[in-house]
Amino acid sequence: MASTRLFQTDDAATGLDELRQRLGRHIEEAFADTPYPGDNHICKPDVDGSDLVRAFRGQDWRDLQLNTITNYHVDMALMTPEAFRYYLPAFMLAVVFYYGHVSTLPMGLMHSLTPPDAGLLQKYLEKKTDPLKHTQIGDFLNRVSAFTPREKSAIRTFLETYRKLQPQARGETRHLDRAAEFWKTA
């Protein structure tokens, strides 16, 4: 099992350190056997993600540097479902253990875990929406379908624990409730 020592914090005084450590172990265990997507399956083929590919090619999610995670979190949407699945634990752990140092990563992460608006999803299912929105919905559904039940459980636990760890969070919480509700049954 991988160690969370790369993601340690000094929150013992607040009582949150134990919760962070438990959540970190749960995420690491759930994604321990997630297969690497392969060097040619990091970025969707129809987008220019050469920088993303260079940064993530051959990288084990456990070995990613915090600056790589924060520099490329806006590019999560460019990842293939397999790459998103593989690297998601690094993004979640960075938020859990380095919240104050990861800039807008929490908002980007919540957005990537939040389903499309229910009305938009219904229009998609009825094929009554524009092609760009079809792509966004299809991408989200493809990402979700890539996860195993064990990985989905870790995502669910991350979302359920998030508000306890970050009660002062603001920007990302507009997505948090919808994301948490969706992953309860995903």
Side-chain angles (χ1 to χ4, degrees):
M1 177 176 80
S3 168
T4 57
R5 76 177 179 285
L6 291 176
F7 299 104
Q8 288 180 350
T9 64
D10 191 17
D11 268 335
T14 65
L16 295 177
D17 189 51
E18 183 181 332
L19 182 59
R20 279 189 176 87
Q21 292 299 323
R22 274 196 325 265
L23 178 57
R25 282 190 300 275
H26 183 69
I27 291 168
E28 287 183 334
E29 290 169 4
F31 287 89
D33 298 324
T34 303
Y36 175 69
D39 291 348
N40 296 323
H41 298 286
I42 293 173
C43 188
K44 295 179 205 169
D46 57 340
V47 296
D48 179 17
S50 54
D51 290 341
L52 176 72
V53 172
R54 274 193 296 280
F56 286 81
R57 179 181 281 137
Q59 293 290 321
D60 186 298
W61 67 262
R62 295 163 200 85
D63 298 330
L64 286 175
Q65 297 295 312
L66 187 60
N67 66 341
T68 301
I69 295 167
T70 57
N71 289 341
Y72 290 95
H73 77 273
V74 296
D75 294 328
M76 286 188 285
L78 302 179
M79 291 181 169
T80 63
E82 298 82 11
F84 181 79
R85 173 186 173 211
Y86 183 74
Y87 290 111
L88 181 64
F91 290 101
M92 290 191 299
L93 290 169
V95 169
V96 168
F97 290 102
Y98 293 107
Y99 182 84
H101 305 283
V102 292
S103 184
T104 59
L105 170 59
M107 194 175 327
L109 179 60
M110 289 303 163
H111 185 265
S112 72
L113 294 172
T114 302
D117 173 78
L120 185 61
L121 185 56
Q122 186 60 40
K123 287 180 183 178
Y124 167 78
L125 295 172
E126 295 171 359
K127 300 186 186 327
K128 295 179 180 177
T129 188
D130 69 63
L132 176 60
K133 291 181 179 169
H134 268 266
T135 302
Q136 294 167 347
I137 294 168
D139 285 351
F140 179 79
L141 296 174
N142 287 334
R143 280 195 309 262
V144 170
S145 68
F147 292 101
T148 66
R150 189 172 181 192
E151 294 162 347
K152 288 177 182 180
S153 171
I155 296 167
R156 203 169 19 258
T157 302
F158 167 78
L159 293 168
E160 291 167 354
T161 307
Y162 191 83
R163 209 176 296 274
K164 293 176 190 168
L165 294 174
Q166 301 306 332
Q168 304 301 323
R170 292 195 184 123
E172 65 271 22
T173 57
R174 71 184 184 106
H175 295 294
L176 180 59
D177 292 335
R178 270 193 29 231
E181 191 62 32
F182 171 82
W183 286 95
K184 283 180 184 177
T185 59

